[in-house]
Amino acid sequence: MYKKCRIFAVLLLILLVLIGCGHQDGDPVADVSLQDLLERATAPISAAGVGTVGVYVDVTTSMRGFLDGSGKTDTLYSLCLNTLGRQIASNYENVTFYRVDTPLWKVIEPEDVLEKARNTSYYKKSETFPKGKYDRLKEVDGYGNGYDSLCLTAALEEGTSYDLFILITDLYENSIGTNTNANSFISKIQQLTDLNDGKVFGLIGVKSIFAGPIYDTGPNGTSVYYGVDSPSYRPFYILLRGYPEHVQDFCGTLGKRLEALDAERGTDYEISVFYEAPFWGLDNTAWKECANQLSPKKKFLWQEDLTVTVRDAAHPADTRELPVFGYQMSGKNAFQDHLYFAYSIAPPQREGFHMLAQEIGENASVSFLPEGKKVLCELPCLVREQNMRCWDGKAFDSDGRKDAFEVCGLYYDREEETLYAELSLDRTRLCGGLWRLDWKHVLEPRVNASNSWLTDWQSPEGVNADYSKTERLLDYAAPILKKMSDTESCVLHGTAYLNIQE
């Protein structure tokens, strides 16, 4: 008798657990969407919207060599300064200039900085010029004094206040005898990359004839003379930071101006804008239907007389009613192995899906549609944030059953502008109740071949240094490239609600 009571108690407990996991008739079901469901593409900012521009000119003495050591004005560096000055003057109104040397000086009097920088006499300490021309910024005192100051690092820090930051430099941070200050410059790039303020970096590299000293090179920060015996070339750079459209517009315009100077891309100059436009994907607001042929007699899959009111966590006033599907788990009316959920692609998103299909799509024959076999475009994607959550009477609580279903595929029907997600459930890991299934289809980060020039332009360090290239160039770009590779674009953040019956 005691043994029977124990068995009955266990069965009753199991029943209560299953009931607690399910939905009671008449109870409202409300859900809160996870934040960041959809990676919306931000509206582009037009070039005309550039409010403020900060132009920072590296006037340390090593930059003087780009004028060929004799004050000539026909080197590519000098010609680039001239066309750069005209580009800035004709496109932007609110421009502030800085001299970057010991460490940072703001230009006070009206001065055509980029034109003056075409003369070797401009490359000396700012404090040696008459007072009142340049104002040393007090807020950057922590970056040191003299030619051991962190001038490039200070420029990056101070330039965050501008819509568009422009730095002309050879990417050699000030240092005396150690060449360790480059690490501070790299750290500052890392900090700015992590800001997530919507701004991106751009880099334009230009090779110009060079003759003169190069300071702070090698592991011991020694100085060398380069190009004084024979014509030699060395790169200088224009480092930009701003909103994507601003940086892209600037780089595109300057590229055309360099071509007008007979400079050839790939030989004389290179350009990288470190930005991939986010893909405008779909979430549960695009829900269309369950694409399986539903049985009107509730044999294995049917639509319940029940909906879930979904509220956006970031915008509580935005709600949407999503259907719940009944799901027979065992017996002769057990469900089919695979479920298909359809999402509508709105007109603003269609061009993006067309391009995505051309780039990575593969033809696949499917047979789950009512009309029978059809060739759709399969989009190979990674699966992220897969999980199942059970309704506990108040909310959908994580149950740790993320492996109870498999996300099998993602199919795009261009004719119908519909996206289909294919899921397969593991019956051995399920129990009855009302469940929410979550998953993300994301694009694998793409390698941008246009940035490969960074490797070609990098010099070895130390005794094997190649002064026609730049030491630690890849170190400077590494935080930016890593940020790009870590950014995944969401094609679909899917959500489905199943009322599973045993």
Side-chain angles (χ1 to χ4, degrees), residues 294-295 297-304 324-328 499 501:
L294 302 182
S295 169
K297 296 182 179 179
K298 296 190 175 184
K299 288 184 177 179
F300 58 86
L301 182 68
W302 61 93
Q303 185 167 335
E304 295 271 30
V324 175
F325 293 92
Y327 201 74
Q328 183 68 42
N499 194 16
Q501 298 182 8

Side-chain angles (χ1 to χ4, degrees), residues 147-372:
Y147 282 137
D148 194 31
S149 64
L150 302 175
C151 65
L152 301 184
T153 307
L156 276 176
E157 171 68 27
E158 209 276 338
T160 58
S161 60
Y162 290 96
D163 290 334
L164 183 61
F165 164 86
I166 304 170
L167 171 64
I168 301 105
T169 179
D170 59 357
L171 289 180
Y172 273 69
E173 180 63 286
N174 280 338
S175 181
I176 296 180
T178 58
N179 196 28
T180 58
N181 285 348
N183 294 334
S184 299
F185 186 49
I186 295 169
S187 296
K188 182 56 64 176
I189 293 175
Q190 177 73 69
Q191 291 174 22
L192 297 184
T193 302
D194 292 339
L195 279 182
N196 293 321
D197 57 358
K199 293 181 178 180
V200 301
F201 281 97
L203 186 66
I204 303 171
V206 183
K207 293 180 179 179
S208 178
I209 196 166
F210 184 96
I214 303 173
Y215 299 95
D216 315 323
T217 185
N220 297 316
T222 56
S223 300
V224 298
Y225 281 83
Y226 175 67
V228 294
D229 298 325
S230 60
S232 301
Y233 289 81
R234 180 167 170 77
F236 68 93
Y237 300 88
I238 302 167
L239 179 66
L240 302 115
R241 187 170 184 271
Y243 298 106
E245 187 72 7
H246 297 167
V247 175
Q248 290 171 330
D249 179 78
F250 182 95
C251 290
T253 301
L254 186 57
K256 293 177 182 178
R257 287 178 172 271
L258 288 171
E259 294 286 348
L261 296 175
D262 294 328
E264 182 179 348
R265 185 166 185 174
T267 302
D268 302 306
Y269 77 96
E270 290 283 6
I271 297 177
S272 281
V273 177
F274 301 101
Y275 172 69
E276 289 283 352
F279 185 81
W280 189 358
L282 308 179
D283 64 5
N284 59 27
T285 60
W287 171 267
K288 184 176 182 180
E289 61 185 355
C290 177
N292 289 70
Q293 298 182 37
L294 302 182
S295 169
K297 296 182 179 179
K298 296 190 175 184
K299 288 184 177 179
F300 58 86
L301 182 68
W302 61 93
Q303 185 167 335
E304 295 271 30
D305 295 328
L306 173 68
T307 60
V308 176
T309 302
V310 181
R311 184 179 73 254
D312 191 330
H315 305 90
D318 295 339
T319 62
R320 182 177 176 82
E321 299 292 324
L322 293 184
V324 175
F325 293 92
Y327 201 74
Q328 183 68 42
M329 195 170 72
S330 59
K332 64 178 182 179
N333 295 327
F335 62 79
Q336 294 177 334
D337 291 338
H338 293 259
L339 297 179
Y340 299 87
F341 299 104
Y343 299 83
S344 296
I345 301 173
Q349 295 159 282
R350 290 174 184 173
E351 183 179 355
F353 273 93
H354 294 172
M355 294 178 61
L356 184 64
Q358 292 177 358
E359 291 176 10
I360 66 172
E362 302 171 359
N363 288 337
S365 178
V366 302
S367 57
F368 61 83
L369 296 172
E371 59 265 35

Side-chain angles (χ1 to χ4, degrees), residues 12-13 58 75 91-92 163 218 231 341 347 353 376 401 409 457 490:
L12 180 60
L13 179 61
D58 185 346
T75 68
N91 285 280
Y92 312 111
D163 290 334
F341 299 104
F353 273 93
L376 299 181
R401 302 196 186 201
W457 286 40
C490 183

